[in-house]
Amino acid sequence: MESSQNSKILCGICNSIFAKGSYKWWRKWHHERRASKQAPGEVSTLPQHHVSYESLLDSVGRGCWICVQLEEKLHESDHEWLNARGFNALGYCLEDISQNEDYLQFILSISGSGKLLSVYINRLQPKSRLHRLLGGVAAQISTADEDIFELARCWLAQCHEGHFSCFRHSEVDWLPTRLLDVSKDLICLRNSSNDKLKGSYATLSHCWGNEEFWMLSKETMPKLLEGVPLATFSRTFQDAISTVRRLSIDYIWIDCFCILQGADAEARADWDFEASRMGQVYMNSFINIGASHASGPEYGLFSSTQSTIDMDSKVVAIVWDAIEDGEQTFSMSAHRQKLSDSFELLDQSPLMRRSWVLQESVLSPRMLSFNGSEVLWQCSEAVASANFPDIQKDLSAVYWAERFPFWSLVEPSDLLSAHVKQELHMRKTARVLPRNSKWIIRKRRCSLMQSYCQASLTFPDKDIFKALDGIGQRLAQLTNEKYYRGFSSKSFPQSLLWLPGPSSGQALPAPVHLARRSPPHRAPSWHWASFEGPIDFSTEMMLYQSSEWGDSSFSPLAYVFMSSDCEPFALSDATNLWPSLMCIGRLLILAHQRSYLKEETRNANMRDSFFILSSGTSVEARVDELFEADDSLDGFALLPLIFERWDTLELGYGDLNALLVRSTSRGTFRRVGVFSGEMRPFIEDIRQATARLIVLE
């Protein structure tokens, strides 16, 4: 029996693929092929699709969605073959590629002389936004609709009642200095200590944009304390207040209304104090609301989508009895639909291009993001969206955090167990457990730093380190390591091996430019902040990755510190030596040979320069920037930092990682590049060099 809904969008041949009982037939077919060890991909063994090009074109003319996609693929793949050699008969194969019972997914493959078309088929949850769009339930669907908020309340309840790690790091009864009270008609600014406030609060992550808007100042504070109507606020703030009200939350923290704005001394002092508490503000919020698609306060949170789905659409709906519960609605797409696709779009949104927002999203225990036509949920343990509304918990702590920078930072023990699950799931084999869960956190710090350097700051001189402080405080809690200006106390010296420019194969968002030298007053040459733009931390990350699973180990060849008591960072009674960095190590003096610009790549910042040691060993180092034409090209040295020992018993087998430095007239050194190469040619040079104190500026 053919579904009338399917008949409207499919030809008779394609409709028969989803005929009643077809799923059971396919399961039996696959079982027989596996039992007989036959390859299922041979066209001769498959049920027939179209046997002639004329038949296919006839179905295309009638508007069959599958045949339209197939005909496009035929022309893309081999138009000359189609005309010169005629048309080979096509076969089709349907496979269940579901990973769990709650998320049914199939793939329909149509083949000729090779695979021509893959169609992905997903069961649609009845409450999902995509189900409503494809089913034509409403003329217009808005992310402000009540069913969206019913979903959000459901996600929030499941998290609140069953996710221990989402509350583990919250401080009981902690509140920010100021909050907006949205429990009544008029929105009032409240002082949490003076007004003895109690209860949960939400936070908002948003883009400030380029347009001026009303905010908290000495002039507007009396009005806000008295209470103002909702219409007083810009559209994004109105929608955020409406959102927390519908989630039954009485208070919201919004930076521009809870921190005094202005250029006078009082406003600057208030900003300095509140900026130091920013990490706590987001870490202790009940939920963070993300205005992801809005590039300014005037755009709002919500958006509407028309539900008209025509034959040119990328996604259509069919009805099929693939499970015993009877007929259900499935989406059909020429591109695989995944929940991660929605988070890919979120990662590219205007909001995620702000450096401050990385901290806000990473520290919040849970976040509800409004990104155009999609609404997304994320917490420490689960993910969901309006199109994939069933909470997905499997592997989220590692899988999502490794793919997207804006994921919550969780306890090492939680991350370790999830990491092992991820390894077992991906590799299908048991491996030795990671020796230390802190390796995982350290890798996460590297990926966070990489994302942070790609994002933008309106006031980099003022905010370059402040916008990281909250993440640093959280990392210090998780690892028991001290943190200072983007480094942890246990990350020296390997964290000095950063490279200006994106990592290999890393796609850059459109607004991001290649790294360029920042103003000298911002940071010393050894610090990643001495460059603006993307920074590659993959060398440090790979050291952790290899050590984590025992594939190799690394040993420091120098001791680095920034405190008068020789500790990495200054304690209360010691002197902070910033911006200088002290290093007890060995220098290998170099003679410069030549330099040239490598062929144009994504890492166009990276230039190779050739040097030679006194022993005759040649060194190909990557310099941070080209030398001037009139440069004397002397004063260079290698500063060995790390020996990465390969998994072998032979002495000296491994890689040397070093800084390329250059002396200054003051007897100090500046970083000018990095070197990585096989260790054995340098063993004798390192042995003969004398350990000394080296000051990096």
Side-chain angles (χ1 to χ4, degrees):
M1 175 180 130
E2 292 186 351
S3 163
S4 59
Q5 177 175 328
N6 295 357
S7 300
K8 294 176 182 177
I9 62 171
L10 300 179
C11 65
I13 292 175
C14 293
N15 202 1
S16 66
I17 298 172
F18 307 101
K20 191 172 181 62
S22 63
Y23 178 57
K24 289 183 179 179
W25 185 91
W26 275 111
R27 291 192 65 176
K28 181 182 177 182
W29 186 87
H30 281 288
H31 177 73
E32 290 173 350
R33 288 297 183 279
R34 283 193 295 268
S36 62
K37 297 183 180 179
Q38 293 184 37
E42 292 296 326
V43 176
S44 59
T45 69
L46 300 175
Q48 281 193 334
H49 196 249
H50 285 285
V51 296
S52 70
Y53 191 48
E54 290 73 20
S55 173
L56 174 64
L57 287 180
D58 181 63
S59 291
V60 170
R62 294 172 183 270
C64 173
W65 185 87
I66 291 179
C67 292
V68 168
Q69 312 302 317
L70 178 58
E71 204 266 340
E72 288 179 359
K73 280 289 182 181
L74 277 169
H75 279 274
E76 287 174 11
S77 59
D78 201 340
H79 187 255
E80 290 184 5
W81 168 84
L82 193 62
N83 292 329
R85 292 189 245 167
F87 182 84
N88 288 345
L90 301 176
Y92 65 88
C93 180
L94 192 64
E95 296 180 70
D96 185 345
I97 56 172
S98 305
Q99 293 185 357
N100 59 61
E101 295 178 359
D102 297 326
Y103 184 46
L104 285 181
Q105 187 173 65
F106 304 85
I107 184 169
L108 170 66
S109 301
I110 300 179
S111 305
S113 56
K115 185 181 287 186
L116 293 176
L117 177 69
S118 295
V119 175
Y120 296 94
I121 302 155
N122 295 293
R123 184 180 65 172
L124 293 174
Q125 292 94 343
K127 290 184 178 180
S128 76
R129 180 177 176 79
L130 194 57
H131 184 280
R132 294 181 62 201
L133 283 171
L134 295 175
V137 174
Q140 192 177 68
I141 298 176
S142 168
T143 52
D145 287 352
E146 179 54 28
D147 67 326
I148 292 291
F149 279 87
E150 184 182 341
L151 272 177
R153 287 189 288 268
C154 178
W155 297 330
L156 192 55
Q158 288 185 55
C159 178
H160 187 250
E161 294 165 9
H163 296 173
F164 172 68
S165 63
C166 296
F167 286 90
R168 180 184 291 196
H169 57 266
S170 297
E171 301 174 53
V172 179
D173 297 331
W174 190 95
L175 291 175
T177 307
R178 305 181 187 96
L179 287 166
L180 291 178
D181 185 343
V182 301
S183 61
K184 300 179 178 62
D185 289 341
L186 294 181
I187 292 92
C188 300
L189 182 66
R190 307 283 295 274
N191 186 296
S192 58
S193 56
N194 293 349
D195 297 335
K196 298 180 180 179
L197 303 183
K198 289 186 178 181
S200 301
Y201 67 93
T203 49
L204 175 69
S205 289
H206 68 99
C207 293
W208 283 57
N210 298 317
E211 302 292 328
E212 290 188 5
F213 60 92
W214 181 76
M215 60 185 73
L216 178 66
S217 65
K218 286 195 292 187
E219 292 73 29
T220 61
M221 184 177 285
K223 191 184 298 184
L224 259 175
L225 289 170
E226 185 179 339
V228 295
L230 182 63
T232 310
F233 296 90
S234 301
R235 186 178 164 193
T236 295
F237 307 131
Q238 290 183 36
D239 291 349
I241 291 168
S242 171
T243 295
V244 298
R245 282 173 168 172
R246 294 171 75 174
L247 296 177
S248 302
I249 301 172
D250 290 340
Y251 306 107
I252 184 170
W253 188 93
I254 304 176
D255 50 10
C256 50
F257 296 105
C258 296
I259 301 177
L260 195 60
Q261 308 295 317
D264 58 279
E266 184 181 352
R268 288 200 302 271
D270 191 67
W271 188 90
D272 287 339
F273 176 73
E274 296 298 339
S276 68
R277 291 159 51 93
M278 202 82 76
Q280 287 177 289
V281 169
Y282 284 90
M283 200 180 301
N284 290 287
S285 70
F286 190 67
I287 188 170
N288 187 36
I289 309 299
S292 304
H293 71 281
S295 56
E298 67 273 19
Y299 291 97
L301 282 185
F302 310 130
S303 65
S304 300
T305 304
Q306 297 293 331
S307 67
T308 53
I309 303 292
D310 57 27
M311 292 311 302
D312 294 327
S313 297
K314 298 295 182 185
V315 185
V316 293
I318 57 168
V319 174
W320 189 25
D321 66 339
I323 54 176
E324 295 180 358
D325 297 342
E327 291 187 341
Q328 294 196 24
T329 304
F330 289 77
S331 69
M332 194 160 56
S333 170
H335 301 282
R336 188 171 184 176
Q337 300 167 59
K338 297 173 291 185
L339 178 56
S340 58
D341 293 339
S342 297
F343 282 98
E344 291 278 6
L345 293 175
L346 179 63
D347 192 27
Q348 298 164 16
S349 67
L351 183 66
M352 294 304 170
R353 301 273 66 81
R354 284 192 63 220
S355 298
W356 279 100
V357 171
L358 180 66
Q359 173 173 270
E360 296 165 9
S361 57
V362 163
L363 298 179
S364 301
R366 56 195 65 79
M367 187 165 179
L368 186 68
S369 300
F370 291 81
N371 191 32
S373 61
E374 182 65 295
V375 179
L376 301 104
W377 167 270
Q378 64 189 82
C379 64
S380 300
E381 296 192 19
V383 291
S385 77
N387 283 335
F388 297 89
D390 290 348
I391 285 278
Q392 297 184 29
K393 291 188 65 174
D394 291 348
L395 310 175
S396 63
V398 169
Y399 175 80
W400 298 99
E402 288 189 348
R403 295 196 65 182
F404 306 110
F406 48 79
W407 224 262
S408 299
L409 278 164
V410 299
E411 297 289 336
S413 56
D414 295 339
L415 199 54
L416 177 59
S417 60
H419 189 74
V420 173
K421 274 196 215 173
Q422 170 82 344
E423 281 289 322
L424 297 179
H425 175 78
M426 298 300 291
R427 299 174 183 267
K428 308 297 183 186
T429 57
R431 292 193 64 186
V432 64
L433 295 181
R435 293 178 291 180
N436 190 337
S437 60
K438 289 180 181 178
W439 291 129
I440 308 170
I441 297 293
R442 289 169 184 165
K443 278 199 307 177
R444 183 76 197 283
R445 180 187 64 80
C446 293
S447 64
L448 286 171
M449 294 305 305
Q450 209 150 272
S451 300
Y452 180 80
C453 292
Q454 281 190 20
S456 60
L457 285 166
T458 307
F459 305 104
D461 286 348
K462 178 171 67 79
D463 295 349
I464 186 68
F465 300 123
K466 286 185 181 295
L468 271 176
D469 280 347
I471 291 178
Q473 292 163 13
R474 180 67 179 137
L475 288 168
Q477 287 179 353
L478 293 174
T479 60
N480 262 342
E481 299 172 7
K482 299 191 181 305
Y483 176 91
Y484 185 74
R485 300 198 172 192
F487 292 99
S488 75
S489 54
K490 296 291 178 67
S491 71
F492 284 147
Q494 60 271 16
S495 55
L496 300 176
L497 297 170
W498 52 267
L499 300 167
S503 61
S504 178
Q506 183 181 4
L508 290 179
V512 175
H513 304 285
L514 293 175
R516 57 190 179 276
R517 185 68 74 175
S518 59
H521 63 268
R522 188 175 300 165
S525 67
W526 55 266
H527 199 287
W528 51 262
S530 63
F531 276 84
E532 294 178 341
I535 300 293
D536 179 6
F537 294 88
S538 59
T539 301
E540 180 186 359
M541 201 181 309
M542 290 307 298
L543 289 172
Y544 298 144
Q545 176 82 30
S546 299
S547 298
E548 178 187 338
W549 291 102
D551 297 329
S552 68
S553 60
F554 66 90
S555 305
L557 298 176
Y559 180 73
V560 177
F561 58 96
M562 206 189 308
S563 170
S564 60
D565 58 4
C566 298
E567 291 293 325
F569 305 135
L571 301 176
S572 56
D573 56 348
T575 302
N576 184 358
L577 302 178
W578 170 273
S580 295
L581 185 68
M582 306 296 149
C583 179
I584 299 175
R586 293 169 169 82
L587 288 176
L588 309 183
I589 306 303
L590 299 169
H592 186 266
Q593 297 298 299
R594 59 193 174 94
S595 65
Y596 67 94
L597 182 64
K598 290 178 72 73
E599 293 181 12
E600 187 174 351
T601 64
R602 294 298 293 173
N603 277 351
N605 296 62
M606 302 305 181
R607 284 89 174 187
D608 287 352
S609 280
F610 285 81
F611 301 86
I612 191 165
L613 285 168
S614 56
S615 62
T617 303
S618 62
V619 176
E620 183 181 2
R622 288 193 282 186
V623 296
D624 295 337
E625 53 191 345
L626 288 176
F627 304 123
E628 298 295 334
D630 58 350
D631 203 314
S632 62
L633 300 181
D634 58 7
F636 293 97
L638 275 189
L639 172 55
L641 295 181
I642 293 290
F643 170 43
E644 183 181 9
R645 185 179 296 103
W646 300 337
D647 189 12
T648 176
L649 296 176
E650 295 190 52
L651 182 65
Y653 273 81
D655 285 336
L656 170 66
N657 291 279
L659 287 187
L660 178 65
V661 298
R662 195 174 190 188
S663 60
T664 71
S665 59
R666 296 178 297 281
T668 59
F669 290 84
R670 289 179 54 82
R671 170 195 154 126
V672 292
V674 292
F675 168 79
S676 180
E678 192 177 345
M679 177 68 169
R680 283 186 299 171
F682 298 92
I683 292 176
E684 196 57 37
D685 292 290
I686 293 174
R687 281 176 177 164
Q688 292 182 7
T690 303
R692 54 175 287 188
L693 178 65
I694 302 153
V695 181
L696 296 176
E697 292 184 335

